[in-house]
């Protein structure tokens, strides 16, 4: 007996219903946050020894891969999307941050994520979601594995201020500084290779600040090392400083993005936050000193601050009050100005005197933050 059109139609609806139900199950099971673990290459080895097959790259780009799949088909690509504007003159090149939030959908067992840069859907077949492991098929016999991430966030861990600075690199890496307090006040100073350079203030909501803080707390801040460093040269350093009760409680330096992925994911949107908000220029007289790394000196001893700690001090001086009070010139900070001449700031940790101007920040920056115990002997590189 030959199958009738009615039987074909019934079979089609059965298969369609099964596929739809499976997609709905995958849609439910994929909810949550995922971090890339590895790529499994199950291809058979080539018998020709003259042709070595390179290992397949991680899915969707770099090794710092992670996703959050939310309700209503909203996805967060943790590394973020970027638009690069390259020019013949290096200093005219720009990097635009397009954000981390995008769309996703599951169709016919395939995970499709909308790429904000190329404006196309990137597709991977979902091989399986078993418990806390997601496996996708990149190509024939090549599979990417992700692990579901679960964070233990302490609700009592809060910071009054977060400061981020970037050092620049051998190239056009953006050089900037940004300070955000828990009221949403922002002080931004763009130095080089940013879409907006200069000295600005801005504001975000308290809930936006909480989102910034929560993303950082997912990295388990207090258990991170103070310093992460790659084994190569000419890369950039990102430094992040956390302040609580007017005291620095932690500073983390990351050279070459060697810190845990969750920390990189958290600080990347911060360094480009200035592109997402309205900036208001800050009118000021000559800045007290350039915003690079600051070192306090006393005799043959020196105490170095990270770049973000230096910017924190800079903002404290900026918010300080001019005074005629006198003080002991216990320490000094020296730097080279734009005219390539050496300048000196005298200080005792609370008062900072540059030429004929003295600023009182209201407390001793060195003693409050225990920098007075971190002096070392200068060497020939200082």
């Amino acid at each position: 007996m030959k199958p009738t059109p009615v039987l074909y139609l019934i079979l089609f609806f059965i298969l369609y219903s099964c596929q739809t139900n499976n997609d709905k199950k995958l849609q439910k099971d994929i909810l949550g946050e995922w971090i890339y673990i590895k790529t499994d290459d199950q291809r058979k080895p080539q018998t020709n020894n003259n042709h070595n097959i390179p290992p397949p790259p991680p899915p969707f780009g770099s090794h710092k891969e992670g996703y959050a799949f939310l309700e209503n088909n909203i996805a967060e690509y943790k590394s973020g999307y970027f638009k690069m504007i390259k020019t013949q003159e290096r200093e005219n090149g720009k990097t635009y941050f397009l954000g981390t939030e995008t769309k996703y959908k599951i169709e016919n067992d395939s995970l499709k994520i909308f790429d904000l840069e190329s404006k196309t859907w990137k597709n991977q077949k979902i091989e399986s979601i078993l418990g806390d492991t997601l496996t996708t098929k990149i190509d024939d016999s090549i599979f990417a594995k992700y692990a579901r991430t679960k964070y233990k966030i302490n609700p009592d861990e809060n910071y009054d201020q977060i400061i981020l600075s970037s050092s620049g690199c051998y190239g056009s890496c953006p050089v900037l500084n940004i300070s955000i307090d828990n009221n949403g006040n922002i002080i931004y100073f763009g130095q080089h290779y940013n879409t907006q350079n200069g000295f600005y203030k801005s504001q975000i909501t308290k809930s936006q600040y909480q989102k910034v803080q929560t993303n950082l707390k997912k990295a388990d801040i207090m258990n991170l090392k103070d310093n992460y460093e790659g084994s190569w040269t000419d890369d950039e350093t990102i430094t992040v400083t956390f302040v609580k009760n007017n005291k620095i409680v932690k500073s983390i330096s990351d050279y070459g993005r060697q810190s845990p992925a969750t920390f990189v994911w958290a600080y990347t949107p911060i360094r480009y936050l200035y592109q997402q908000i309205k900036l208001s220029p800050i009118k000021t007289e000559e800045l007290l000193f350039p915003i690079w790394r600051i070192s306090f000196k006393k005799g043959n001893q020196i105490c170095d601050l990270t770049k973000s700690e230096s910017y924190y001090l800079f903002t404290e001086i900026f918010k300080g009050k001019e005074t005629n009070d006198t003080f002991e010139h216990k320490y000094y900070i020296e730097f080279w100005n734009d005219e390539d001449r050496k300048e000196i700031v005298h200080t005792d940790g609370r008062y900072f005197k540059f030429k004929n101007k003295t600023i009182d920040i209201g407390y001793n920056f060195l003693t409050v933050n225990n920098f007075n115990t971190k002096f070392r002997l200068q060497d020939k590189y200082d």
Side-chain angles (χ1 to χ4, degrees):
M1 177 174 133
K2 295 178 67 174
T4 66
V6 174
L7 289 175
Y8 280 122
L9 189 60
I10 293 173
L11 180 61
F12 169 79
F13 278 111
I14 290 174
L15 293 175
Y16 177 79
S17 177
C18 290
Q19 182 62 63
T20 301
N21 290 335
N22 192 50
D23 284 350
K24 288 182 178 179
K25 184 178 186 305
L26 292 174
Q27 183 85 35
K28 180 181 179 181
D29 292 345
I30 205 171
L31 295 177
E33 299 196 26
W34 302 84
I35 185 170
Y36 168 76
I37 307 172
K38 63 178 181 177
T39 299
D40 284 339
D41 184 356
Q42 298 180 10
R43 293 175 295 182
K44 294 181 179 180
Q46 296 292 314
T47 56
N48 187 347
N49 293 328
N50 295 324
H51 296 85
N52 294 320
I53 300 176
F60 302 124
S62 72
H63 67 289
K64 299 282 188 181
E65 296 298 330
Y67 295 90
F69 298 106
L70 312 174
E71 301 281 359
N72 301 320
N73 293 104
I74 300 298
E76 184 181 0
Y77 175 46
K78 297 292 188 176
S79 297
Y81 296 98
F82 297 86
K83 181 180 179 181
M84 313 292 290
I85 305 297
K86 295 184 179 180
T87 61
Q88 289 184 340
E89 299 295 331
R90 188 181 71 178
E91 60 270 16
N92 295 329
K94 304 295 182 185
T95 300
Y96 291 89
F97 182 59
L98 304 179
T100 61
E101 187 174 298
T102 186
K103 298 175 289 184
Y104 81 99
K105 55 188 177 182
I106 294 176
E107 294 179 346
N108 300 322
D109 300 338
S110 289
L111 171 62
K112 299 180 179 181
I113 301 175
F114 188 73
D115 187 309
L116 297 181
E117 181 179 355
S118 65
K119 299 191 181 303
T120 59
W121 290 92
K122 302 294 186 181
N123 178 50
Q124 291 190 50
K125 193 78 172 178
I126 298 178
E127 186 71 12
S128 65
I129 303 178
L130 300 175
D132 293 333
T133 303
L134 164 66
T135 303
T136 65
K137 187 176 183 180
I138 305 173
D139 202 349
D140 289 340
S141 303
I142 302 177
F143 301 89
K145 289 188 178 294
Y146 300 82
R148 192 189 302 273
T149 55
K150 299 176 182 178
Y151 304 104
K152 293 182 180 179
I153 297 177
N154 182 358
D156 298 324
E157 180 190 358
N158 295 295
Y159 301 98
D160 301 327
Q161 196 169 348
I162 298 167
I163 305 101
L164 178 146
S165 294
S166 60
S167 69
C169 62
Y170 185 72
S172 55
C173 299
V175 184
L176 60 84
N177 312 270
I178 186 168
S179 167
I180 316 170
D181 70 22
N182 55 4
N183 288 315
N185 298 307
I186 291 176
I187 301 178
Y188 164 77
F189 186 58
Q191 293 177 266
H192 302 288
Y193 309 121
N194 301 288
T195 58
Q196 190 72 49
N197 290 320
F199 196 32
Y200 297 89
K201 63 181 178 180
S202 190
Q203 184 84 30
I204 58 175
T205 65
K206 289 187 176 182
S207 62
Q208 287 174 310
Y209 176 83
Q210 288 302 322
K211 182 177 179 181
V212 167
Q213 180 176 246
T214 297
N215 286 338
L216 286 163
K217 287 161 63 174
K218 288 178 180 179
D220 196 8
I221 295 166
M222 298 311 295
N223 286 319
L224 292 178
K225 297 190 296 184
D226 293 340
N227 187 60
Y228 295 89
E229 190 170 352
S231 58
W232 51 87
T233 61
D234 301 328
D235 210 328
E236 66 175 348
T237 299
I238 304 297
T239 56
V240 185
T241 292
F242 300 88
V243 177
K244 187 170 185 177
N245 298 325
N246 296 317
K247 179 180 180 180
I248 294 173
V249 295
K250 184 79 171 179
S251 287
I252 303 166
S253 293
D254 185 13
Y255 175 78
R257 297 162 302 283
Q258 294 303 291
S259 63
T262 47
F263 188 59
V264 178
W265 296 341
Y267 71 58
T268 296
I270 300 173
R271 64 183 303 197
Y272 293 101
L273 179 60
Y274 76 93
Q275 295 180 354
Q276 318 294 323
I277 56 180
K278 182 179 179 181
L279 298 173
S280 300
I282 297 177
K283 295 182 180 180
T284 180
E285 299 176 5
E286 181 182 6
L287 300 179
L288 189 61
F289 38 75
I291 307 307
W292 294 100
R293 285 187 61 176
I294 292 172
S295 297
F296 288 87
K297 296 183 178 181
K298 178 183 179 182
N300 64 345
Q301 294 185 317
I302 187 170
C303 176
D304 301 309
L305 307 186
T306 68
K307 194 165 186 280
S308 54
E309 291 169 344
S310 300
Y311 189 62
Y312 174 49
L313 173 58
F314 171 84
T315 58
E316 291 295 276
I317 293 172
F318 174 73
K319 293 181 287 187
K321 296 181 179 179
E322 190 169 355
T323 181
N324 292 321
D325 291 352
T326 59
F327 64 95
E328 179 186 0
H329 293 188
K330 193 173 183 179
Y331 311 100
Y332 66 95
I333 300 166
E334 61 181 9
F335 62 92
W336 296 90
N337 63 21
D338 294 337
E339 298 174 354
D340 205 28
R341 290 187 300 183
K342 184 181 289 188
E343 303 278 8
I344 292 180
V345 176
H346 294 283
T347 182
D348 65 348
R350 172 176 174 172
Y351 296 95
F352 294 81
K353 183 176 182 181
F354 175 62
K355 295 181 178 178
N356 296 320
K357 186 176 183 179
T358 300
I359 301 295
D360 177 14
I361 66 172
Y363 68 97
N364 193 302
F365 183 85
L366 288 171
T367 55
V368 165
N369 295 299
N370 296 320
F371 285 122
N372 57 325
T373 65
K374 298 178 181 179
F375 278 80
R376 60 176 176 80
L377 291 176
Q378 293 189 59
D379 58 35
K380 62 181 181 180
Y381 299 107
D382 296 320

